[in-house]
Amino acid sequence: MTAEQTSLPREPGAPVPAIQVRGLHKHYGRHEVLQGIDFQVDAGQVVCVIGPSGSGKSTLLRCVNRLEEPTSGEILIEGIDICDRRTDLDDIRSRIGMVFQQFNLFPHLSVLKNLTLAQRNVRRRSKDEAVEIARQTLAKVGLSDKESAYPAHLSGGQQQRVAIARALSMNPDMMLFDEPTSALDPELVGDVLAVMKELAQEGMTMMVVTHEMGFAREVGDHLVFMDGGVVVEEGRPADVLSHPQHERTQSFLSKVL
Amino acid sequence: MTRRQRAALIQVVLYAVLVVGIVVLALVADWPTIRDNFWNPDGVSWADGNWQDLITIGLVNTVKYTAIAFGGGLALGLLLALMRLSPVAPYRWLATAYIEFFRGLPALVVMVFMATGLPIAFGWTPPGGLVGAGLIGLILVAGAYMAETLRAGIQAVPKGQTEAARSLGMRPGATTVRVVLPQAFRIVIPPLTNEFVLLIKDTALLFLLGAAADQRELTSVARDFLSSGPSTGTATSLIQAAILYLVITLPLTQLVAWLERRQRRAVR
Ligand SMILES: Nc1ncnc2c1ncn2[C@@H]1O[C@H](COP(=O)(O)OP(=O)(O)OP(=O)(O)O)[C@@H](O)[C@H]1O
Ligand SMILES: [Mg+2]
């Protein structure tokens, strides 16, 4: 089961960060996509990651639950090194909700089954309990009436909210979002962002790769700007967005704002 | 004459030629002889002709053998497909070698080898005797073909599906069984149905191995009626067998066509 917590050099009593990334490098062949990333998300914090296309945002996010294998560096989830062989990676993953740009709902299962599959299979919940939790999370994302629908019959915005509900029904400690609204028609973006905002207000720990600067400014506690595989600048969202210090940040923001 | 009128005229002429041709053939043909040799009244009589044995023995066994070969081939094919996609290299090599080997041989050679080679090599006769041995041969070959079909189906399931399941904490086995395979099977239903039709026809090869009277499949029963029974010396029983084959294969090939049309329309 869960490996022993790695002992960390930290002050006694200081809270363990939810996500801590140290010196992360990732190569694809000779292409170095992440060139030494240090990054942290504290419990209850909402950290938004922005940056131009190809800067390595998705790669960083996917390294956090090891969908992508880091080349070197350290990734600690609640203090546990996920690259340690003794760590039960599946157990860690079940505590990290992940939301993909392309939703990735299971098309052969109804909405309700999408939400209960991993609850039953991973959490070993009884059928009744899994269904009850699934209904609660569906209500939360405003889709109670869709539980027997199949993903193909839902709009993109509805599918993404089901995907969020699927992750939430595992009662994760934190949520990762990879451009959750980028594949949506503009009029459907608001519903998804509203759900994410509510989640943030409830104190969920969130790491959000996004192009929605409004969301980052309003909901984010911390903003990270990446370019070329490194963190160029970070700070309070309002500060970074309104007074970017680096030239690369300035030029990126002048294009997207 | 306008273009349309000319086109209409050509069509009328073509139909006329066809009708005249058929009429001439019908008049020239020696119908009584043809009927006696290919649709002999004694052979096709419902009460005491060939139908009883052809259906209750031949057709029933053909369906039974096809089901056994298909079920066995599917199980073997799934195992081979998963081996081919395994992260463990020796499994991949083994499966690849197996698939290439058995797809490169005529099914008949494998069946004869099972029927004659197994008893010689291991002193073991499979249940069902020669028919059982032949069926094992069919399963070995069908498994190789189905493995490739299933592998293609598994690989056609988007990678995001596996990622979503793994990110929820599902283990590799559960991900394959609960998420990937159900979608893969849906994709391969049309090619697998085709495989089933091919197997129906391949069971006819069993007749070359020989079988006890009540073990005979459709082709064996029909062949025995060539030299015995009410229509001895005529091809009647073969025509009857052909009709019975078509009765099961035609609906299936139509089903495949319909499934493929539906799948093409329902592309996500
Ligand atoms: N599997 C892969 N093999 C090779 N190169 C890859 C692979 N995945 C990503 N890359 C490369 O890594 C770089 C960073 O990709 P990544 O998807 O992390 O960027 P991103 O910041 O998320 O961009 P976007 O905003 O377009 O999503 C890109 O140059 C991409 O081409
Ligand atoms: Mg990306």
Side-chain angles (χ1 to χ4, degrees):
Chain A
M1 289 321 300
T2 314
E4 269 177 60
Q5 295 217 340
T6 327
S7 56
L8 295 174
R10 59 183 172 90
E11 290 168 35
V16 188
I19 302 170
Q20 187 159 34
V21 173
R22 292 192 199 133
L24 177 65
H25 289 258
K26 172 67 185 174
H27 302 247
Y28 287 112
R30 292 183 50 227
H31 183 30
E32 190 170 15
V33 175
L34 297 179
Q35 310 182 0
I37 303 271
D38 293 292
F39 180 89
Q40 179 167 327
V41 181
D42 290 328
Q45 219 184 9
V46 176
V47 175
C48 293
V49 181
I50 61 171
S53 182
S55 55
K57 308 181 295 293
S58 298
T59 308
L60 169 62
L61 192 83
R62 291 160 57 83
C63 280
V64 167
N65 68 357
R66 236 177 116 191
L67 280 183
E68 220 66 74
E69 200 63 40
T71 307
S72 66
E74 226 181 0
I75 298 162
L76 308 178
I77 299 296
E78 293 168 343
I80 301 169
D81 181 356
I82 63 164
C83 295
D84 188 326
R85 276 190 300 112
R86 288 165 302 178
T87 302
D88 181 351
L89 183 59
D90 293 318
D91 179 62
I92 301 280
R93 280 174 171 164
S94 76
R95 286 152 46 194
I96 309 176
M98 177 131 184
V99 176
F100 301 85
Q101 187 173 346
Q102 298 299 336
F103 329 135
N104 294 351
L105 292 178
F106 306 130
H108 60 300
L109 299 177
S110 68
V111 165
L112 195 66
K113 285 265 166 63
N114 262 278
L115 268 62
T116 55
L117 176 62
Q119 289 192 65
R120 307 255 295 134
N121 187 271
V122 178
R123 286 271 180 277
R124 300 284 166 205
R125 286 179 183 151
S126 72
K127 188 170 180 201
D128 289 347
E129 195 189 354
V131 167
E132 192 188 317
I133 292 173
R135 292 207 168 113
Q136 283 167 11
T137 49
L138 273 182
K140 206 176 158 83
V141 299
L143 290 172
S144 291
D145 53 331
K146 298 291 183 193
E147 67 170 53
S148 49
Y150 280 81
H153 297 137
L154 302 177
S155 75
Q158 291 171 333
Q159 288 191 49
Q160 192 60 297
R161 283 184 283 156
V162 172
I164 293 172
R166 177 175 68 179
L168 287 178
S169 62
M170 296 293 283
N171 303 105
D173 298 343
M174 63 196 79
M175 293 279 287
L176 310 178
F177 295 84
D178 191 359
E179 301 196 30
T181 58
S182 293
L184 300 179
D185 292 336
E187 73 270 21
L188 303 175
V189 168
D191 291 341
V192 173
L193 291 182
V195 167
M196 291 170 62
K197 184 174 168 187
E198 195 190 319
L199 208 54
Q201 283 165 348
E202 287 170 8
M204 176 61 80
T205 308
M206 293 163 62
M207 174 174 172
V208 186
V209 173
T210 186
H211 289 298
E212 298 289 336
M213 300 304 158
F215 177 86
R217 184 191 292 269
E218 193 189 344
V219 181
D221 299 309
H222 192 77
L223 184 67
V224 173
F225 171 72
M226 280 181 70
D227 193 7
V230 294
V231 172
V232 173
E233 182 166 355
E234 59 184 312
R236 286 187 29 230
D239 294 344
V240 176
L241 292 173
S242 307
H243 311 290
Q245 300 299 307
H246 281 74
E247 190 215 325
R248 278 147 90 186
T249 320
Q250 287 161 6
S251 105
F252 172 74
L253 289 176
S254 70
K255 277 179 223 146
V256 297
L257 286 181
Chain B
M1 248 197 309
T2 67
R3 250 181 60 210
R4 189 175 305 169
Q5 280 170 329
R6 198 176 322 141
L9 183 71
I10 289 173
Q11 229 174 40
V12 168
V13 170
L14 286 177
Y15 273 114
V17 168
L18 184 67
V19 170
V20 169
I22 290 172
V23 167
V24 168
L25 269 179
L27 291 177
V28 168
D30 178 1
W31 283 110
T33 310
I34 291 176
R35 196 197 53 182
D36 284 349
N37 282 313
F38 292 97
W39 197 248
N40 184 285
D42 294 332
V44 299
S45 138
W46 189 253
D48 47 9
N50 304 333
W51 288 118
Q52 242 70 274
D53 280 7
L54 281 170
I55 292 171
T56 59
I57 299 175
L59 188 63
V60 166
N61 280 334
T62 287
V63 170
K64 196 168 96 184
Y65 298 158
T66 308
I68 292 171
F70 186 80
L74 192 61
L76 178 61
L78 186 58
L79 180 72
L80 288 167
L82 292 175
M83 281 172 70
R84 267 208 83 161
L85 298 171
S86 158
V88 185
Y91 281 145
R92 289 201 301 272
W93 301 332
L94 217 63
T96 308
Y98 179 98
I99 290 166
E100 294 305 323
F101 182 77
F102 279 99
R103 286 200 311 171
L105 294 177
L108 186 57
V109 169
V110 180
M111 292 164 74
V112 172
F113 184 83
M114 288 297 132
T116 57
L118 270 190
I120 295 171
F122 300 106
W124 176 72
T125 317
L130 291 174
V131 169
L135 282 178
I136 291 177
L138 266 187
I139 289 172
L140 293 180
V141 175
Y145 281 97
M146 289 196 223
E148 283 300 273
T149 307
L150 288 168
R151 181 183 60 84
I154 291 169
Q155 286 180 322
V157 177
K159 202 161 142 270
Q161 291 292 308
T162 306
E163 289 181 349
R166 298 306 307 275
S167 76
L168 287 162
M170 291 175 68
R171 297 190 189 274
T175 301
T176 304
V177 173
R178 307 299 300 275
V179 174
V180 178
L181 287 183
Q183 297 182 57
F185 272 114
R186 225 150 290 200
I187 295 168
V188 299
I189 283 173
L192 278 187
T193 313
N194 265 330
E195 195 64 42
F196 191 85
V197 172
L198 291 176
L199 275 176
I200 291 173
K201 296 184 288 178
D202 280 351
T203 56
L205 296 171
L206 288 168
F207 118 83
L208 287 163
L209 301 179
D214 59 353
Q215 274 190 322
R216 293 172 300 164
E217 44 65 59
L218 200 43
T219 303
S220 311
V221 176
R223 200 199 108 105
D224 289 348
F225 274 131
L226 294 178
S227 54
S228 66
S231 60
T232 303
T234 77
T236 306
S237 57
L238 289 179
I239 301 284
Q240 290 174 294
I243 289 170
L244 291 176
Y245 274 120
L246 289 172
V247 163
I248 34 181
T249 55
L250 278 185
L252 283 175
T253 49
Q254 291 308 302
L255 178 70
V256 174
W258 179 76
L259 286 170
E260 280 174 345
R261 272 201 307 278
R262 200 185 58 160
Q263 219 165 55
R264 216 168 301 137
R265 247 177 307 158
V267 184
R268 273 175 291 135

